Amino acid sequence: MQAAPTPQGPISRWLSTAQPEALFVLSAVAQYVGAALAVVLFDEVEPQTVAWFRIIGAAAALLLVSRGWWRGWTRRQLVGVAVFGLATSLMNIFFYLAINRIDLGKGVTIEFIGPIAVAAATTRSGRNALALAFAIAGVAVLGGVELADNAVGLVYILIASALWAAYIVVGSRVAQVDRGVAGLGLGLAIGSILTAPIGAPWSGPVWVAPSLLAMCLLVGVFSNAIGYGIDQFTMRRIPIRRFSLLLALLPVTASLIGWIALDQRPTTIDLLGIALVLVGVTVQERDQIERVEATVRTDPA
Protein backbone atom coordinates (compact mmCIF):
# COMPACT_ATOMS: atom_id res chain seq x y z
CA MET A 1 0.00 0.00 0.00
CA GLN A 2 1.28 3.42 -0.90
CA ALA A 3 1.56 6.30 1.54
CA ALA A 4 -1.09 8.97 1.25
CA PRO A 5 -0.19 11.56 -1.44
CA THR A 6 0.97 14.94 -0.18
CA PRO A 7 -1.34 17.86 -1.12
CA GLN A 8 0.13 19.87 -4.01
CA GLY A 9 0.94 23.56 -3.90
CA PRO A 10 1.36 25.79 -6.98
CA ILE A 11 5.02 24.82 -7.48
CA SER A 12 4.21 21.12 -7.22
CA ARG A 13 1.34 21.50 -9.69
CA TRP A 14 3.65 23.26 -12.16
CA LEU A 15 6.31 20.57 -11.79
CA SER A 16 3.64 17.93 -12.37
CA THR A 17 2.52 19.45 -15.69
CA ALA A 18 5.62 21.09 -17.22
CA GLN A 19 7.38 19.43 -20.17
CA PRO A 20 9.93 16.83 -18.95
CA GLU A 21 12.59 18.26 -21.32
CA ALA A 22 12.24 21.71 -19.73
CA LEU A 23 12.41 20.21 -16.25
CA PHE A 24 15.59 18.35 -17.16
CA VAL A 25 17.29 21.54 -18.31
CA LEU A 26 16.22 23.32 -15.12
CA SER A 27 17.49 20.42 -13.02
CA ALA A 28 20.80 20.36 -14.89
CA VAL A 29 21.36 24.10 -14.45
CA ALA A 30 20.75 23.78 -10.69
CA GLN A 31 23.08 20.79 -10.41
CA TYR A 32 25.92 22.45 -12.31
CA VAL A 33 25.65 25.71 -10.38
CA GLY A 34 26.08 23.55 -7.29
CA ALA A 35 28.98 21.67 -8.87
CA ALA A 36 30.73 24.94 -9.77
CA LEU A 37 30.42 26.11 -6.16
CA ALA A 38 31.77 22.75 -4.98
CA VAL A 39 34.86 22.90 -7.20
CA VAL A 40 35.71 26.30 -5.68
CA LEU A 41 35.43 24.79 -2.19
CA PHE A 42 37.83 21.94 -2.98
CA ASP A 43 40.77 24.28 -2.30
CA GLU A 44 39.68 24.54 1.35
CA VAL A 45 37.65 21.41 2.07
CA GLU A 46 38.17 17.78 1.04
CA PRO A 47 35.84 16.74 -1.83
CA GLN A 48 34.22 13.92 0.15
CA THR A 49 33.46 16.37 2.96
CA VAL A 50 31.89 18.89 0.58
CA ALA A 51 29.75 16.05 -0.77
CA TRP A 52 28.73 15.04 2.76
CA PHE A 53 27.63 18.57 3.61
CA ARG A 54 25.85 18.68 0.26
CA ILE A 55 23.80 15.67 1.39
CA ILE A 56 23.06 17.22 4.80
CA GLY A 57 22.05 20.56 3.30
CA ALA A 58 19.74 18.95 0.77
CA ALA A 59 18.11 16.67 3.37
CA ALA A 60 17.44 19.61 5.69
CA ALA A 61 15.95 21.75 2.91
CA LEU A 62 13.74 18.98 1.55
CA LEU A 63 12.39 17.86 4.92
CA LEU A 64 11.73 21.49 5.86
CA VAL A 65 9.31 21.86 2.93
CA SER A 66 7.72 18.40 3.34
CA ARG A 67 4.75 18.40 5.70
CA GLY A 68 4.31 15.27 7.76
CA TRP A 69 7.32 13.57 6.18
CA TRP A 70 7.73 11.28 9.19
CA ARG A 71 4.23 9.77 8.98
CA GLY A 72 2.66 7.02 6.86
CA TRP A 73 5.68 5.02 5.72
CA THR A 74 5.52 1.23 5.56
CA ARG A 75 8.53 -0.86 6.47
CA ARG A 76 9.10 -1.82 2.84
CA GLN A 77 8.95 1.81 1.73
CA LEU A 78 11.45 2.85 4.41
CA VAL A 79 13.89 0.16 3.24
CA GLY A 80 13.56 1.44 -0.34
CA VAL A 81 14.05 5.04 0.80
CA ALA A 82 17.17 4.06 2.78
CA VAL A 83 18.70 2.19 -0.18
CA PHE A 84 17.91 5.13 -2.44
CA GLY A 85 19.45 7.61 0.02
CA LEU A 86 22.62 5.57 0.45
CA ALA A 87 23.08 5.09 -3.32
CA THR A 88 22.51 8.80 -3.96
CA SER A 89 24.87 9.86 -1.17
CA LEU A 90 27.67 7.58 -2.35
CA MET A 91 27.09 8.76 -5.93
CA ASN A 92 27.61 12.36 -4.77
CA ILE A 93 30.79 11.47 -2.87
CA PHE A 94 32.43 9.52 -5.71
CA PHE A 95 31.39 12.17 -8.24
CA TYR A 96 33.12 14.90 -6.23
CA LEU A 97 36.21 12.73 -5.75
CA ALA A 98 36.23 12.31 -9.54
CA ILE A 99 35.75 15.96 -10.56
CA ASN A 100 38.58 16.89 -8.21
CA ARG A 101 40.75 15.03 -10.75
CA ILE A 102 38.74 15.23 -14.01
CA ASP A 103 37.27 18.16 -15.89
CA LEU A 104 33.62 18.66 -14.88
CA GLY A 105 32.16 18.37 -18.38
CA LYS A 106 34.26 15.30 -19.17
CA GLY A 107 33.28 13.69 -15.86
CA VAL A 108 29.56 14.25 -16.42
CA THR A 109 29.82 12.73 -19.89
CA ILE A 110 31.67 9.60 -18.76
CA GLU A 111 29.34 9.19 -15.79
CA PHE A 112 26.46 8.98 -18.24
CA ILE A 113 27.46 5.37 -18.98
CA GLY A 114 25.22 4.36 -16.05
CA PRO A 115 22.00 5.94 -17.36
CA ILE A 116 22.77 4.60 -20.86
CA ALA A 117 22.94 1.08 -19.41
CA VAL A 118 19.54 1.55 -17.77
CA ALA A 119 18.06 2.90 -21.00
CA ALA A 120 19.50 -0.06 -22.93
CA ALA A 121 17.99 -2.53 -20.48
CA THR A 122 14.54 -0.96 -20.75
CA THR A 123 14.34 -0.22 -24.50
CA ARG A 124 11.32 -1.93 -26.10
CA SER A 125 11.14 -0.77 -29.73
CA GLY A 126 13.30 -0.26 -32.80
CA ARG A 127 12.71 3.48 -32.72
CA ASN A 128 13.82 3.72 -29.09
CA ALA A 129 16.87 1.59 -29.89
CA LEU A 130 17.76 4.04 -32.68
CA ALA A 131 17.30 6.97 -30.28
CA LEU A 132 19.54 5.24 -27.77
CA ALA A 133 22.19 4.65 -30.46
CA PHE A 134 22.26 8.37 -31.26
CA ALA A 135 22.57 9.22 -27.57
CA ILE A 136 25.42 6.73 -27.08
CA ALA A 137 27.24 8.09 -30.13
CA GLY A 138 26.87 11.65 -28.85
CA VAL A 139 28.17 10.79 -25.40
CA ALA A 140 31.09 8.89 -26.95
CA VAL A 141 32.00 11.92 -29.05
CA LEU A 142 31.70 14.30 -26.09
CA GLY A 143 33.67 11.93 -23.88
CA GLY A 144 36.60 11.68 -26.26
CA VAL A 145 39.47 9.38 -25.38
CA GLU A 146 42.18 10.42 -22.85
CA LEU A 147 42.22 9.62 -19.11
CA ALA A 148 44.92 6.99 -19.63
CA ASP A 149 47.08 8.87 -17.10
CA ASN A 150 44.25 9.39 -14.59
CA ALA A 151 43.25 5.89 -13.52
CA VAL A 152 42.09 6.93 -10.03
CA GLY A 153 39.80 9.64 -11.38
CA LEU A 154 38.44 7.22 -13.97
CA VAL A 155 37.68 4.58 -11.31
CA TYR A 156 35.86 7.16 -9.19
CA ILE A 157 33.70 8.38 -12.07
CA LEU A 158 32.85 4.80 -13.13
CA ILE A 159 31.73 3.99 -9.58
CA ALA A 160 29.62 7.16 -9.61
CA SER A 161 28.20 6.02 -12.95
CA ALA A 162 27.09 2.67 -11.52
CA LEU A 163 25.53 4.44 -8.55
CA TRP A 164 23.75 6.80 -10.95
CA ALA A 165 22.09 3.77 -12.54
CA ALA A 166 20.97 2.63 -9.07
CA TYR A 167 19.69 6.16 -8.39
CA ILE A 168 17.44 5.95 -11.46
CA VAL A 169 16.03 2.48 -10.79
CA VAL A 170 15.49 2.80 -7.03
CA GLY A 171 14.59 6.50 -7.21
CA SER A 172 11.79 5.75 -9.66
CA ARG A 173 10.22 3.39 -7.14
CA VAL A 174 10.56 5.92 -4.33
CA ALA A 175 8.99 8.60 -6.53
CA GLN A 176 5.93 6.41 -7.19
CA VAL A 177 5.06 6.55 -3.47
CA ASP A 178 3.95 10.11 -4.33
CA ARG A 179 5.02 11.97 -1.22
CA GLY A 180 6.40 15.03 -2.99
CA VAL A 181 10.10 15.27 -2.11
CA ALA A 182 9.69 13.70 1.34
CA GLY A 183 11.13 10.37 0.18
CA LEU A 184 14.18 12.08 -1.28
CA GLY A 185 14.68 14.17 1.86
CA LEU A 186 14.33 11.22 4.22
CA GLY A 187 16.59 9.09 2.04
CA LEU A 188 19.31 11.73 2.02
CA ALA A 189 19.00 12.15 5.80
CA ILE A 190 19.61 8.41 6.20
CA GLY A 191 22.40 8.60 3.62
CA SER A 192 24.12 11.43 5.51
CA ILE A 193 24.22 9.28 8.64
CA LEU A 194 25.51 6.18 6.85
CA THR A 195 28.24 8.12 4.98
CA ALA A 196 29.38 10.15 8.00
CA PRO A 197 32.53 7.98 8.40
CA ILE A 198 33.56 9.12 4.89
CA GLY A 199 32.82 12.84 5.14
CA ALA A 200 32.89 13.78 8.82
CA PRO A 201 36.59 13.13 9.66
CA TRP A 202 37.72 16.12 7.55
CA SER A 203 34.83 18.42 8.47
CA GLY A 204 36.51 20.30 11.33
CA PRO A 205 37.42 23.46 9.35
CA VAL A 206 33.84 23.78 8.09
CA TRP A 207 32.21 23.79 11.52
CA VAL A 208 34.34 26.75 12.68
CA ALA A 209 33.91 28.83 9.51
CA PRO A 210 30.29 30.01 9.03
CA SER A 211 30.95 31.10 5.44
CA LEU A 212 32.34 27.67 4.50
CA LEU A 213 29.44 25.93 6.21
CA ALA A 214 26.91 28.11 4.39
CA MET A 215 28.59 27.47 1.02
CA CYS A 216 28.71 23.68 1.58
CA LEU A 217 25.04 23.59 2.53
CA LEU A 218 24.15 25.84 -0.42
CA VAL A 219 25.75 23.30 -2.75
CA GLY A 220 23.26 20.77 -1.41
CA VAL A 221 20.31 23.08 -1.98
CA PHE A 222 21.23 23.66 -5.63
CA SER A 223 22.51 20.23 -6.61
CA ASN A 224 20.28 17.90 -4.60
CA ALA A 225 17.27 19.72 -3.17
CA ILE A 226 16.43 21.53 -6.43
CA GLY A 227 18.06 19.24 -9.00
CA TYR A 228 17.03 15.87 -7.56
CA GLY A 229 13.74 17.27 -6.29
CA ILE A 230 12.76 18.07 -9.88
CA ASP A 231 13.83 14.55 -10.87
CA GLN A 232 11.36 13.08 -8.38
CA PHE A 233 8.44 14.85 -10.04
CA THR A 234 9.67 13.82 -13.49
CA MET A 235 10.12 10.16 -12.49
CA ARG A 236 6.43 9.95 -11.57
CA ARG A 237 5.35 11.00 -15.04
CA ILE A 238 7.53 9.08 -17.46
CA PRO A 239 8.94 5.52 -17.77
CA ILE A 240 12.46 4.74 -16.56
CA ARG A 241 13.55 4.21 -20.19
CA ARG A 242 12.59 7.72 -21.24
CA PHE A 243 14.01 9.21 -18.03
CA SER A 244 17.34 7.49 -18.66
CA LEU A 245 17.49 8.74 -22.25
CA LEU A 246 16.56 12.29 -21.30
CA LEU A 247 19.50 12.30 -18.90
CA ALA A 248 21.58 12.66 -22.07
CA LEU A 249 20.62 16.33 -21.83
CA LEU A 250 22.88 16.65 -18.78
CA PRO A 251 26.26 16.49 -20.56
CA VAL A 252 24.79 18.71 -23.28
CA THR A 253 23.67 21.28 -20.70
CA ALA A 254 27.04 21.03 -18.96
CA SER A 255 28.80 21.89 -22.22
CA LEU A 256 26.52 24.88 -22.81
CA ILE A 257 26.96 26.19 -19.26
CA GLY A 258 30.72 25.80 -19.59
CA TRP A 259 30.60 27.83 -22.79
CA ILE A 260 28.43 30.61 -21.38
CA ALA A 261 29.73 30.85 -17.80
CA LEU A 262 33.34 29.68 -18.12
CA ASP A 263 34.13 30.59 -21.74
CA GLN A 264 34.86 26.93 -22.49
CA ARG A 265 34.01 27.18 -26.18
CA PRO A 266 33.03 23.77 -27.64
CA THR A 267 34.98 22.50 -30.63
CA THR A 268 33.40 21.24 -33.84
CA ILE A 269 33.64 17.69 -32.45
CA ASP A 270 31.87 18.81 -29.26
CA LEU A 271 29.06 20.35 -31.29
CA LEU A 272 28.73 17.10 -33.24
CA GLY A 273 28.34 15.18 -29.99
CA ILE A 274 25.74 17.63 -28.71
CA ALA A 275 23.80 17.32 -31.97
CA LEU A 276 23.81 13.52 -31.80
CA VAL A 277 22.48 13.55 -28.23
CA LEU A 278 19.72 15.98 -29.13
CA VAL A 279 18.72 13.83 -32.12
CA GLY A 280 18.48 10.83 -29.79
CA VAL A 281 16.24 12.71 -27.37
CA THR A 282 14.02 13.91 -30.24
CA VAL A 283 13.73 10.53 -31.98
CA GLN A 284 12.64 8.58 -28.91
CA GLU A 285 9.15 7.13 -29.04
CA ARG A 286 6.69 8.24 -26.40
CA ASP A 287 4.42 5.44 -25.27
CA GLN A 288 0.72 5.82 -26.00
CA ILE A 289 -0.06 5.48 -22.31
CA GLU A 290 2.06 8.57 -21.61
CA ARG A 291 -0.09 10.61 -23.96
CA VAL A 292 -3.26 9.32 -22.32
CA GLU A 293 -1.95 10.09 -18.85
CA ALA A 294 -0.87 13.57 -19.95
CA THR A 295 -4.39 14.24 -21.23
CA VAL A 296 -5.88 13.17 -17.89
CA ARG A 297 -3.44 15.35 -15.93
CA THR A 298 -4.09 18.47 -17.97
CA ASP A 299 -7.87 18.00 -18.17
CA PRO A 300 -9.43 20.59 -15.76
CA ALA A 301 -12.36 18.23 -15.20
Side-chain angles (χ1 to χ4, degrees):
M1 180 182 296
Q2 291 189 341
T6 301
Q8 288 191 335
I11 295 178
S12 295
R13 285 195 296 270
W14 179 79
L15 290 171
S16 298
T17 56
Q19 284 296 318
E21 289 82 0
L23 292 178
F24 264 86
V25 173
L26 182 59
S27 172
V29 169
Q31 289 186 53
Y32 297 138
V33 167
L37 290 174
V39 171
V40 173
L41 290 169
F42 290 168
D43 290 335
E44 302 181 69
V45 185
E46 291 295 322
Q48 63 268 35
T49 299
V50 177
W52 185 59
F53 277 107
R54 162 182 171 170
I55 299 161
I56 294 173
L62 291 167
L63 294 180
L64 188 63
V65 300
S66 300
R67 290 178 293 179
W69 58 265
W70 60 89
R71 296 194 300 262
W73 297 98
T74 67
R75 184 174 181 178
R76 182 177 181 181
Q77 289 167 354
L78 284 175
V79 171
V81 164
V83 172
F84 174 57
L86 180 59
T88 304
S89 299
L90 289 173
M91 176 182 69
N92 291 171
I93 289 171
F94 280 104
F95 179 66
Y96 276 10
L97 287 170
I99 63 172
N100 190 41
R101 295 167 171 82
I102 300 174
D103 176 75
L104 175 62
K106 188 75 69 177
V108 171
T109 303
I110 297 170
E111 191 189 21
F112 190 65
I113 293 172
I116 284 180
V118 175
T122 53
T123 295
R124 292 291 181 270
S125 72
R127 181 173 177 179
N128 289 334
L130 177 63
L132 183 59
F134 275 112
I136 291 173
V139 169
V141 170
L142 286 171
V145 280
E146 69 164 287
L147 294 178
D149 58 345
N150 195 355
V152 175
L154 181 59
V155 168
Y156 284 150
I157 202 64
L158 290 176
I159 293 174
S161 176
L163 290 165
W164 195 358
Y167 163 82
I168 297 169
V169 175
V170 183
S172 178
R173 296 172 184 170
V174 171
Q176 298 309 317
V177 177
D178 199 8
R179 291 284 299 269
V181 292
L184 175 60
L186 181 57
L188 290 175
I190 296 171
S192 69
I193 295 171
L194 296 178
T195 57
I198 301 175
W202 296 272
S203 64
V206 180
W207 296 116
V208 297
S211 60
L212 273 181
L213 179 59
M215 286 284 285
C216 286
L217 296 178
L218 190 62
V219 168
V221 172
F222 276 105
S223 293
N224 285 17
I226 297 176
Y228 294 170
I230 292 173
D231 285 355
Q232 286 287 290
F233 282 89
T234 310
M235 283 177 176
R236 290 189 197 107
R237 300 172 52 197
I238 61 178
I240 290 179
R241 180 265 310 156
R242 187 179 172 202
F243 182 88
S244 302
L245 192 57
L246 279 177
L247 282 172
L249 290 172
L250 295 183
V252 173
T253 306
S255 300
L256 292 176
I257 289 177
W259 186 2
I260 296 170
L262 304 174
D263 197 29
Q264 297 176 347
R265 189 177 299 273
T267 65
T268 302
I269 295 296
D270 294 332
L271 292 175
L272 174 61
I274 291 172
L276 288 170
V277 172
L278 290 177
V279 168
V281 172
T282 303
V283 167
Q284 67 178 314
E285 181 180 22
R286 302 188 183 190
D287 299 337
Q288 181 65 31
I289 190 171
E290 290 181 58
R291 291 194 286 271
V292 173
E293 289 174 350
T295 301
V296 172
R297 282 193 301 270
T298 56
D299 187 345

